[in-house]
Amino acid sequence: MVKAVILVGGPGKGTRFRPLSLEIAKPLFPLAGRAMIEHHIEACSKLNDMQEVILIGSEPTSEMTPFVREASNKYGVNIVYLQEYKPLGTAGGIFHFRDQIRKGNPTSFFVLNADVCCDFPLQEMLNSHLRHGRGDVITI
């Protein structure tokens, strides 16, 4: 079983997008006709054995819930949004929600930053890890 964690950050960020980002959460900002984070979810949904995509951040749940519901239906993967009680930083959110991330005992998981967009060769990375990996692998 594979999971993905996407770190979405929180309000008050996205200063380079201002004034546009005053109206919309940074991970939902349109990029190439879709929400920025949707590109990540699409890439994750193509992975064999993808069970769940976990979004972690401090954006208001009211802004994220409609998108999560729609994306989950569109890509056929379970997507959950875990809201931090306050901005916890990169490792803080992962540590705080570690039990939810490890639930179901995933064999592998990816951690992505919502504001880093690229061509995601996730399946190739996973295949390489499964062929050669002997433990934890970090790719930057």
Side-chain angles (χ1 to χ4, degrees), residues 1 9 16 22 41 46 69 72-73 86 88 95 97 103 116 118 121 124 126 131-133 136 138:
M1 170 186 15
R16 290 181 296 269
L22 295 173
I41 292 170
K46 293 178 180 177
R69 189 177 313 115
S72 186
N73 289 332
K86 68 176 186 174
L88 298 174
F95 180 77
F97 293 112
K103 184 178 179 182
V116 175
C118 66
E124 291 85 356
L126 181 60
R131 267 193 319 272
H132 306 292
D136 300 333
I138 298 174

Side-chain angles (χ1 to χ4, degrees), residues 66-78:
F67 170 79
V68 167
R69 189 177 313 115
E70 184 179 311
S72 186
N73 289 332
K74 181 175 181 178
Y75 293 102
V77 65
N78 185 44

Side-chain angles (χ1 to χ4, degrees), residues 1-134:
M1 170 186 15
V2 180
K3 288 190 177 187
V5 175
I6 303 174
L7 305 172
V8 300
K13 304 291 184 190
T15 55
R16 290 181 296 269
F17 287 134
R18 288 199 178 152
L20 301 172
S21 63
L22 295 173
E23 300 292 321
I24 188 165
K26 184 177 175 183
L28 302 180
F29 197 79
L31 180 67
R34 296 184 289 166
M36 185 182 316
I37 196 169
E38 190 172 342
H39 297 276
H40 300 66
I41 292 170
E42 179 184 32
C44 292
S45 73
K46 293 178 180 177
L47 281 166
N48 298 335
D49 205 23
M50 174 55 70
Q51 291 295 151
E52 185 173 51
V53 176
I54 300 171
L55 311 178
I56 297 177
S58 57
E59 292 288 353
T61 305
S62 61
E63 290 187 37
M64 298 299 293
T65 299
F67 170 79
V68 167
R69 189 177 313 115
E70 184 179 311
S72 186
N73 289 332
K74 181 175 181 178
Y75 293 102
V77 65
N78 185 44
I79 302 171
V80 295
Y81 176 61
L82 303 176
Q83 184 181 17
E84 300 169 337
Y85 60 92
K86 68 176 186 174
L88 298 174
T90 301
I94 293 170
F95 180 77
H96 183 72
F97 293 112
R98 66 192 176 278
D99 291 337
Q100 288 93 325
I101 295 168
R102 296 187 331 212
K103 184 178 179 182
N105 199 26
T107 55
S108 304
F109 69 91
F110 286 89
V111 177
L112 306 167
N113 288 305
D115 60 354
V116 175
C117 294
C118 66
D119 203 7
F120 297 102
L122 300 180
Q123 190 63 57
E124 291 85 356
M125 292 167 65
L126 181 60
N127 292 345
S128 177
H129 169 66
L130 294 174
R131 267 193 319 272
H132 306 292
R134 300 203 198 313

